[in-house]
Amino acid sequence: MPDTAGRDSANHGDFRLSITQALGDQLADALDDLSPAPLTESNLSELEDRPGVYQLYRNGEFVYVGKADKSLPTRIQKHLRKVSGRQGISLSEMTFTCLYVAEDFSALAPEKLLIKNYKERGEIPWNNNGFGNNDPGKRRDETVVKENHFDALFPIDLGRMIPRIKPGTTTIAKLLAHVSKEAPYTFRYEKKKVGSAYKGTIQVPETDLTVDQLFALIARSLPEEWQIAVLPGRAILYPDNGRTYPSAWRYYRGGQVLDVEPEIGEAGEIPEEPDVVDDAD
């Protein structure tokens, strides 16, 4: 009888087929075959309301990949709006490509396949800097923003003009709702337990105003305990006059507009919130 002790088995082994790797490679190849188009309202209007994956470019550099579970134009429109309200960047610099995918394909998390593929090449820097994150909510207003965070690189633009609300006398509540709807970034304000704070009236001039001008107008019309704080990626209004926020760079307190030096954290990878999940498609 042959002595097989100590010998390696020759009649079995392992076979590994990475289907997900193959899918990621095929998706990346299909997107690479497309020609980027300018990120404009007109180009987005030509897209179908279907799920898919997309890529964003800035000045020809590939910066972000994401997915839309329901509607590509709706999802990409959010990015157009975000970029349009920032300092130091212009929509004229932005282009995009996209692919429609079957609805059941989203279960395979195609954007994660692409992210893995491109990170290995050192691409998609905006997938690591908070670009796709939504408003983190009040509990994180105290966060110190890292220096490589999208919001720190491209703070909100208070010089953005807001479409004119009907001139004449209006209530503070109506003006707050108007600014919140029209500003191309989050303007979050206290909506509960406001008492009579928002019942006061404001005289709206017969000219278009910037966000900065509207914030100053609103702050002057509110009780003294209220303040508007401008953080890198959003503005907030609460009855906390005197409270400071680490990353804030401007406050509107009564008739005062105060510019301050924000705290900035050291560069590092930014934890991604559900940036590729359609929260309102």
Side-chain angles (χ1 to χ4, degrees), residues 26-97:
Q26 289 185 43
L27 277 173
D29 289 343
L31 283 163
D32 287 344
D33 287 339
L34 302 174
S35 298
L39 183 59
T40 62
E41 299 276 1
S42 176
N43 283 331
L44 292 184
S45 70
E46 296 179 2
L47 300 181
E48 300 175 29
D49 283 316
R50 294 168 54 191
V53 292
Y54 60 91
Q55 299 185 160
L56 300 180
Y57 302 82
R58 183 189 182 205
N59 293 324
E61 178 190 1
F62 179 25
V63 292
Y64 187 81
V65 61
K67 76 165 182 178
D69 283 332
K70 298 179 182 179
S71 169
L72 274 169
T74 298
R75 180 62 182 171
I76 302 174
Q77 169 68 35
K78 292 180 182 178
H79 298 318
L80 182 154
R81 179 178 172 85
K82 185 168 192 173
V83 171
S84 74
R86 300 299 176 125
Q87 303 176 51
I89 192 171
S90 169
L91 282 175
S92 64
E93 303 170 4
M94 302 298 299
T95 55
F96 75 98
T97 58

Side-chain angles (χ1 to χ4, degrees), residues 100-112:
Y100 301 114
V101 298
E103 289 188 29
D104 56 357
F105 188 54
S106 63
L108 297 173
E111 85 290 353
K112 292 183 179 179

Side-chain angles (χ1 to χ4, degrees), residues 100-125:
Y100 301 114
V101 298
E103 289 188 29
D104 56 357
F105 188 54
S106 63
L108 297 173
E111 85 290 353
K112 292 183 179 179
L113 301 178
L114 289 168
I115 289 171
K116 182 177 184 297
N117 184 299
Y118 291 127
K119 276 189 176 180
E120 291 174 352
R121 305 185 200 175
E123 297 178 308
I124 54 172

